[in-house]
Amino acid sequence: MSVDDLEKAVSKLTPSELAKFSDWFEAFQAAEFDRRIAQDAVNGKLDKLGNQALEDFRKGNIREL
């Protein structure tokens, strides 16, 4: 199925079907984001950022939110 096919199918949804699809797609995107972050963490791609944050914290380069 192509993106064009998906667009056509989504455009034919009723308002309630579109709302249900939208809720599902938002949850799908969130789960995919979480999966990518977890994989990046396992692969060490976040280590540099984490180490920089810890260094800033130790140096007192922080502010309350």
Side-chain angles (χ1 to χ4, degrees):
M1 180 177 270
S2 71
V3 173
D4 287 339
D5 293 336
L6 289 170
E7 288 176 354
K8 288 174 187 173
V10 169
S11 71
K12 294 177 183 177
L13 296 175
T14 66
S16 63
E17 290 171 328
L18 183 58
K20 185 176 179 181
F21 173 76
S22 181
D23 290 343
W24 170 83
F25 192 66
E26 184 178 341
F28 174 82
Q29 287 182 304
E32 180 63 14
F33 178 82
D34 290 346
R35 185 194 66 74
R36 287 181 179 181
I37 290 291
Q39 190 62 48
D40 286 350
V42 168
N43 292 335
K45 291 183 177 181
L46 304 176
D47 291 352
K48 184 177 178 181
L49 293 171
N51 290 335
Q52 182 64 51
L54 288 172
E55 183 179 330
D56 287 344
F57 179 77
R58 288 187 197 109
K59 289 180 178 179
N61 297 335
I62 58 171
R63 61 181 166 80
E64 288 199 34
L65 298 176

